[in-house]
């Protein structure tokens, strides 16, 4: 059992998350490494959060994703399930749609993540609605900032409207999908954007290993 981390956290409630994640990755990362990553995740999310009610929980989930990416990078990049990263500006619309739809269609065949170069504080309500209409559960989705380890862990990086803000890692496959921005759009247009992304996701899935 890892030792309790010192109190160097931006929120003392994060200590329980440090203990859980450090135990899970005890053979990989020191407690101090996990603590530093969780503190960084918390601060990154707090920078855009308007409501902090669930910030501790979200920071732990974000850190778990980052640790998983680090493990993949350390082990064998390119091995295992294909890893697809969707990136847009705010991680509140297009990249959330794409990640949710691919995760739903793939049925466990793909590891999917999403991020934003300038993340918003919440997923847009119309995005949640059109996903639910398509039979996709968006529960738990939240905007996340783009981090280096998540990019390095990806096999395919798909950008949508974030320009040159996404770092380029050699050996990764990069695609840019020219998809309309659903931000502030009427519901009918958001549905069309969802269907456009869904068609692209279906085509992408057909190119990945079965």
């Amino acid at each position: 059992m890892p030792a309790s981390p010192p109190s160097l956290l931006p929120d003392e409630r994060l200590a329980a998350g440090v203990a859980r994640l450090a135990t899970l990755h005890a053979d990989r990362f020191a407690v101090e490494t996990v603590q530093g990553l969780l503190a960084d995740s918390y601060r990154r999310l707090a920078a855009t959060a308007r409501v902090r009610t669930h910030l501790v929980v979200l920071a732990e989930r974000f850190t778990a994703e980052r640790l998983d990416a680090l493990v993949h990078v350390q082990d064998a990049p390119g091995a295992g399930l294909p890893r697809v990263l969707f990136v847009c500006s705010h991680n509140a619309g297009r990249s959330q749609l794409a990640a949710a739809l691919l995760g739903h269609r793939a049925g466990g065949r793909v590891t999917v993540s999403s991020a934003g170069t300038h993340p918003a504080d919440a997923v847009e309500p119309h995005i949640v609605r059109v996903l639910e209409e398509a039979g996709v559960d968006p529960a738990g989705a939240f905007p996340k900032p783009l981090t280096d380890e998540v990019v390095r862990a990806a096999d395919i990086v798909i950008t949508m409207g974030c320009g040159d803000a996404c770092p380029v890692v050699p050996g990764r496959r990069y695609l840019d999908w020219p998809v309309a921005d659903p931000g502030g759009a009427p519901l009918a247009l958001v549905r069309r954007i969802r269907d456009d992304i869904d068609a692209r996701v279906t085509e992408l899935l057909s190119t990945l290993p079965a």
Side-chain angles (χ1 to χ4, degrees), residues 82 84 102 109-110 156 173 203-210:
V84 179
L102 179 57
R109 290 170 46 200
V110 182
I156 303 172
R173 177 185 173 193
E203 182 180 359
L204 173 69
L205 196 53
S206 71
T207 70
L208 300 178

Side-chain angles (χ1 to χ4, degrees), residues 54-133:
H54 304 294
L55 194 54
V56 169
V57 174
L58 297 181
E60 183 175 344
R61 287 174 50 198
F62 182 31
T63 303
E65 183 176 325
R66 296 176 70 183
L67 287 168
D68 176 70
L70 282 171
V71 168
H72 182 74
V73 170
Q74 290 177 0
D75 279 353
L81 294 176
R83 300 177 72 99
V84 179
L85 169 64
F86 293 100
V87 184
C88 68
S89 295
H90 304 302
N91 195 215
R94 288 168 287 190
S95 57
Q96 291 285 353
L97 279 172
L101 288 166
L102 179 57
H104 179 71
R105 304 286 182 219
R109 290 170 46 200
V110 182
T111 299
V112 186
S113 56
S114 68
T117 53
H118 300 89
D121 66 309
V123 177
E124 295 177 13
H126 277 0
I127 299 301
V128 173
R129 178 168 176 177
V130 300
L131 283 171
E132 290 174 339
E133 289 175 354

